[in-house]
Amino acid sequence: MTSVPPVDQSLRDAAEGGIPSALADLGRLVRIPGIAWPAFDQEQLQRSAREVAKLAEGTGVFDEVRILTAQIPGTDEHGQPAILATRAARNGRPTVMLYAHHDVQPPGDEALWETPPFEPTVRDGRLYGRGAADDKAGVMAHIASLRALREVAGDDLDLGIVLFIEGEEEFGSRSFGQFLSDNADAMRSDVIVVADSGNWDSETPAVTVSLRGNAKFHLTVRTLEHASHSGMFGGAVPDAMLATIKLLSTLWTDTGAVAVEGLTVREAETPEYSEATLREEAGLPDGVQPIGEGTILSRIWNKPSITVTGIDFTSVAAASNTLSPEVTVVVSARVAPGQDAREAYAAIERHLRAHAPFGAELSFSDIDLGDGFLVDTSGWAVAEARAAMRDGYRKDAVDLGVGGSIPFIADLVRQFPGAQILVTGVEDPHARAHSPNESLHLETFRNAVRSETLLLGRLNARDA
């Protein structure tokens, strides 16, 4: 049996011992409905920032803890409050940046929650609540690891540490790039750990090595100068809904694969992943077939997708016999890793303009673009992270592609080109981030804290 180095064992013990208090603190954070959307009470987001800052100060690690905002480029507005805590490296040690975000998604329809979204509830080994997984668990994984590191290292803590807890990730990270620019000297790091992704399953850790980009926009389809009677003119006059349905249908093939010329595909092998697993993890009923072509994970990790996520139209309750003059939809595209998001958006816009039926007038607005990311897995930091995960979870880490997007990583790469970026997380496939009944698997959290504590302890012993 392989012996465990004494320092590693001390780090593990400290991490384990801190789990109860970390979960108690996580519960307190979940109770704060810190949502960055202007329609929600912004004092709650300020309260959330203050609580995270207090937790950072309580670690005893940092030279300085501040709550800061940055201006949103092109506006007179400032973004939402972020926490920036810093500790200078000593004795030639590297500096690591630990990223997470404290803002959360809106709860949506509370009737779909089995327990109140902002009342943390434990059942069947999971902690339920909005933000319990995404990403207040990421915040607390960092805090718990820092507490354990401080306990073990004491005065021998030489690792440089930057704790950056963002306050607007769910609202588009609008001031992210400016925040990095404003605080570049304080935030410069050798390694950046982004704790906002997931794992292969509740027992198997993962290093995220690819992320899709995003291209989101509003499309307005107009066919009439004003609404008209559907009985008087229906059959001769195209209404906007008819045009919108026909236009949107051209975005996909009969299999549901994207049919837009100019959107690329990344060629890369994917692990085995069954349709039965997809059905279980996504909630796909037996009678509904998966869409797309190729292996299931290639469709999610390496190919583009297009989803209509919103529509402005007459409600069912207010429907009348009227030809609608215009319809606005929200189109959310995921872009294959390696393709520029601007290029992908241009391809989609060209496609829609070329396929507009009946001469319908199209307009595009609220365009939001973010590039995907491919991790350089050749650096020493990735090797250290994999080893720490193996020892923390007691299972080898899987290289994971993610169908979602974290566009701000491109900003980190631009601002800190020499940094090695590690994308990790505490979620498992059943976390339901952004959905009703979001939850955190408690054993996954325990393993994640143990792994990050080991990683930080080993970095503390490493020369820069």
Side-chain angles (χ1 to χ4, degrees), residues 333-349:
R334 300 293 177 168
V335 181
Q339 182 170 31
D340 183 272
R342 292 178 294 276
E343 175 187 299
Y345 168 75
I348 298 170
E349 182 178 337

Side-chain angles (χ1 to χ4, degrees), residues 4 7 11 23-24 28 54 64 109 120 151 153 176-177 183 256 262 271 287 305 335 357 380 384 412 419 442:
V4 178
V7 172
L11 290 166
L23 289 174
R28 282 189 284 274
K54 187 185 302 182
E64 184 175 37
D109 184 355
E151 178 183 329
F176 190 95
N183 300 284
S305 68
V335 181
W380 59 262
E384 290 280 17
L412 289 170
L442 297 179

Side-chain angles (χ1 to χ4, degrees), residues 63-403:
D63 302 323
E64 184 175 37
V65 178
R66 294 176 289 168
I67 298 175
L68 301 171
T69 62
Q71 189 168 350
I72 301 169
T75 75
D76 294 328
E77 302 176 45
H78 274 65
Q80 307 293 9
I83 296 86
L84 181 60
T86 54
R87 174 190 180 88
R90 298 161 171 80
N91 297 320
R93 296 297 184 256
T95 295
V96 59
M97 182 193 301
L98 305 176
Y99 168 92
H101 63 88
H102 68 95
D103 67 307
V104 300
Q105 282 278 326
D109 184 355
E110 295 195 21
L112 298 177
W113 287 78
E114 294 183 23
T115 51
F118 296 107
E119 182 56 45
T121 306
V122 175
R123 62 178 185 273
D124 300 324
R126 306 187 72 94
L127 173 66
Y128 287 82
R130 175 58 86 223
D134 183 17
D135 186 32
K136 290 177 176 177
V139 175
M140 286 312 307
H142 291 328
I143 294 294
S145 300
L146 290 170
R147 288 170 175 169
L149 177 67
R150 180 67 179 181
E151 178 183 329
V152 174
D155 293 337
D156 293 327
L157 179 53
D158 293 328
L159 182 67
I161 303 170
V162 176
L163 180 69
F164 174 35
I165 308 298
E166 190 191 357
E168 58 182 11
E169 193 276 341
E170 302 291 9
F171 194 51
S173 298
R174 299 173 303 160
S175 66
F176 190 95
Q178 188 61 51
F179 192 99
L180 297 186
S181 179
D182 292 347
N183 300 284
D185 289 340
M187 299 179 72
R188 191 162 284 107
S189 303
D190 301 291
V191 179
I192 300 174
V193 179
V194 176
D196 193 21
S197 188
N199 294 292
W200 179 252
D201 57 33
S202 62
E203 299 177 344
T204 309
V207 176
T208 298
V209 298
S210 72
L211 292 152
R212 290 194 290 190
N214 71 282
K216 180 182 174 184
F217 58 93
H218 292 189
L219 166 67
T220 298
V221 180
R222 184 171 182 266
T223 59
L224 289 165
E225 294 181 357
H226 55 75
S228 295
H229 194 295
S230 63
M232 297 293 291
F233 299 104
V237 173
D239 65 286
M241 179 57 81
L242 169 62
T244 300
I245 292 171
K246 287 183 65 66
L247 175 59
L248 292 176
S249 71
T250 69
L251 292 171
W252 305 277
T253 68
D254 288 343
T255 67
V258 172
V260 176
E261 185 178 349
L263 293 184
T264 65
V265 172
R266 178 185 178 230
E267 297 297 336
E269 292 186 6
T270 57
E272 185 175 342
Y273 181 90
S274 69
E275 182 177 315
T277 302
L278 176 70
R279 290 186 180 280
E280 178 190 5
E281 294 182 353
L284 187 66
D286 289 340
V288 179
Q289 297 303 309
I291 62 173
E293 300 164 2
T295 67
I296 291 174
L297 289 182
S298 73
R299 304 174 209 178
I300 299 171
W301 294 359
N302 298 325
K303 296 183 178 183
S305 68
I306 298 178
T307 308
V308 178
T309 59
I311 182 167
D312 278 345
F313 193 65
T314 308
S315 69
V316 171
S320 64
N321 294 322
T322 305
L323 299 175
S324 54
E326 71 175 36
V327 173
T328 297
V329 296
V330 180
V331 178
S332 176
R334 300 293 177 168
V335 181
Q339 182 170 31
D340 183 272
R342 292 178 294 276
E343 175 187 299
Y345 168 75
I348 298 170
E349 182 178 337
R350 279 196 309 272
H351 176 98
L352 290 169
R353 291 193 184 280
H355 289 81
F358 316 118
E361 301 173 2
L362 307 185
S363 59
F364 298 79
S365 60
D366 295 278
I367 300 164
D368 178 27
L369 307 177
D371 288 332
F373 182 63
L374 291 169
V375 175
D376 179 2
T377 58
S378 64
W380 59 262
V382 173
E384 290 280 17
R386 285 182 176 139
M389 287 179 174
R390 181 191 63 235
D391 295 339
Y393 282 79
R394 300 182 178 88
K395 278 194 173 185
D396 288 336
V398 173
D399 283 356
L400 189 73
V402 173

